């Protein structure tokens, strides 16, 4: 008889727990579990490459490409941020950092490449590039560099090269020197020009491109892979200095635009 009463009491207690009439201390209901998980979401890191100068040259650049007497060094900017300094003297052809160490974009990826620049050069100086999305290996490439950002005739130009190495200019604006400029390029990485695309932000504003839209479908991948390069390429007649900081490759705009 005593055993029967104990079993009945246990059954009643279990039923009360399942019905929500009484809750044991330290045990969460389904509703509370959902609420707790919503307050502490799992953080998914979207930064694929961090090119900050504080990480050191060996951890950022695959190579330093210099033709002439240029230098790649680091200096603190006016806010105390350690910044890359690309110095290309007059009569030198190239001072560039070829990145990104331990990162390679794959066909089909959607990536955001962001950075902040300050350029010191004559406004009218024509350069080949201050940024390249460069094809590797160069031998056998069709595009050589699907995307380049350069200076020409007082303007800053974004260029795209097709698989015949024919250049178009999807975007341009008057060049501003001696001031910080912010860039983000969104890219769908593809050899298929109907699949690949680019979108472009300048100083935090998404730009309308030459096709009248904010997205340009184009081929963005050549030969085995493409890598970013920053610095000064061309502009041999004058000295040019390019400061670069906050280099990011990310899977979201927010992380690339910081």
């Amino acid at each position: 008889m005593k055993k029967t009463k104990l079993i009945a009491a246990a059954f009643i207690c279990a039923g009360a727990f399942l019905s929500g009439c009484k809750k044991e201390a330290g045990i969460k209901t389904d509703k509370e579990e959902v609420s707790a998980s919503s307050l502490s979401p799992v953080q998914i890191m979207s930064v694929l490459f961090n090119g900050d100068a504080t990480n050191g040259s060996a951890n950022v650049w695959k190579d330093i490409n210099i033709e002439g007497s240029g230098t790649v060094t680091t200096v603190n900017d006016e806010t105390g941020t350690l910044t890359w300094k690309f110095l290309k003297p007059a009569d030198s052809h190239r001072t560039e950092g070829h990145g990104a160490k331990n990162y390679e974009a794959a066909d089909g990826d959607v990536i955001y490449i962001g950075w902040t620049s300050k350029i010191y050069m004559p406004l009218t100086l024509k350069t080949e590039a201050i940024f390249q999305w460069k094809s590797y290996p160069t031998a056998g490439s069709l595009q050589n560099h699907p995307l380049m950002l350069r200076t020409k005739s007082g303007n800053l130009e974004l260029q795209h090269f097709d698989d015949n190495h024919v250049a178009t200019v999807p975007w341009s604006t008057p060049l501003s020197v001696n001031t910080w400029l912010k860039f983000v390029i969104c890219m769908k990485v593809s050899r298929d020009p109907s699949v690949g695309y680019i979108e472009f932000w300048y100083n935090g504003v998404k730009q309308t491109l030459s096709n009248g839209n904010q997205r340009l479908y184009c081929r963005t991948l050549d030969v085995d892979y493409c890598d970013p390069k920053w610095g000064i390429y061309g502009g041999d007649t004058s000295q040019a200095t390019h400061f670069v900081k906050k280099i990011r490759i990310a899977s979201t705009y927010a992380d690339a635009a910081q």
Side-chain angles (χ1 to χ4, degrees):
M1 184 69 175
K2 186 175 182 180
K3 184 175 180 181
T4 302
K5 288 182 179 179
L6 288 172
I7 292 172
F11 180 80
I12 293 168
C13 183
F17 173 76
L18 291 173
S19 67
C21 294
K22 183 178 180 181
K23 183 177 66 178
E24 296 282 347
I27 300 176
K28 295 184 175 66
T29 66
D30 289 345
K31 184 176 181 180
E32 288 174 318
E33 291 284 3
V34 171
S35 177
S37 66
S38 66
L39 291 173
S40 304
V42 176
Q43 298 296 316
I44 299 173
M45 297 301 292
S46 80
V47 176
L48 307 172
F49 172 74
N50 182 329
D52 282 347
T54 52
N55 291 327
S57 183
N59 296 312
V60 173
W61 309 116
K62 294 183 178 180
D63 292 296
I64 299 293
N65 301 139
I66 294 176
E67 297 177 44
S69 56
T71 58
V72 179
T73 57
T74 59
V75 296
N76 284 314
D77 70 5
E78 65 276 11
T79 68
T81 301
L82 195 64
T83 302
W84 297 107
K85 177 184 178 181
F86 300 91
L87 171 63
K88 186 206 68 64
D91 300 321
S92 294
H93 186 57
R94 183 196 306 264
T95 302
E96 291 182 298
H98 165 199
K101 193 72 172 285
N102 300 319
Y103 173 78
E104 186 177 304
D107 196 344
D109 286 351
V110 176
I111 60 173
Y112 294 79
I113 305 174
W115 74 95
T116 302
S117 289
K118 183 186 285 187
I119 305 162
Y120 290 88
M121 67 169 67
L123 276 172
T124 57
L125 184 66
K126 177 182 179 295
T127 61
E128 299 303 323
I130 62 169
F131 168 82
Q132 296 190 60
W133 181 243
K134 180 73 170 67
S135 310
Y136 291 96
T138 301
S141 67
L142 300 175
Q143 294 172 283
N144 194 2
H145 27 57
L147 289 177
M148 299 177 78
L149 189 66
R150 71 166 183 180
T151 63
K152 181 184 178 183
S153 302
N155 289 323
L156 189 61
E157 295 184 343
L158 182 66
Q159 292 182 296
H160 176 263
F161 290 79
D162 67 13
D163 53 10
N164 292 310
H165 200 249
V166 174
T168 56
V169 179
W171 174 89
S172 70
T173 195
L175 173 63
S176 295
V177 296
N178 308 345
T179 188
W180 287 111
L181 308 172
K182 298 188 69 172
F183 303 94
V184 176
I185 299 172
C186 173
M187 185 187 311
K188 174 69 175 284
V189 180
S190 179
R191 294 181 180 85
D192 185 340
S194 67
V195 174
Y197 62 77
I198 59 171
E199 299 172 351
F200 187 63
W201 285 258
Y202 177 61
N203 288 336
V205 178
K206 193 171 187 181
Q207 301 295 294
T208 298
L209 305 176
S210 59
N211 63 354
N213 300 311
Q214 292 184 326
R215 175 178 292 182
L216 174 68
Y217 283 91
C218 57
R219 178 181 162 114
T220 57
L221 182 60
D222 190 26
V223 284
D224 291 352
Y225 62 98
C226 292
D227 276 339
K229 298 179 76 174
W230 287 269
I232 299 287
Y233 170 30
D236 300 14
T237 58
S238 297
Q239 177 172 301
T241 306
H242 185 188
F243 295 91
V244 183
K245 63 182 179 179
K246 298 183 179 180
I247 295 173
R248 297 288 187 276
I249 303 176
S251 56
T252 68
Y253 170 81
D255 280 323
Q258 58 181 299

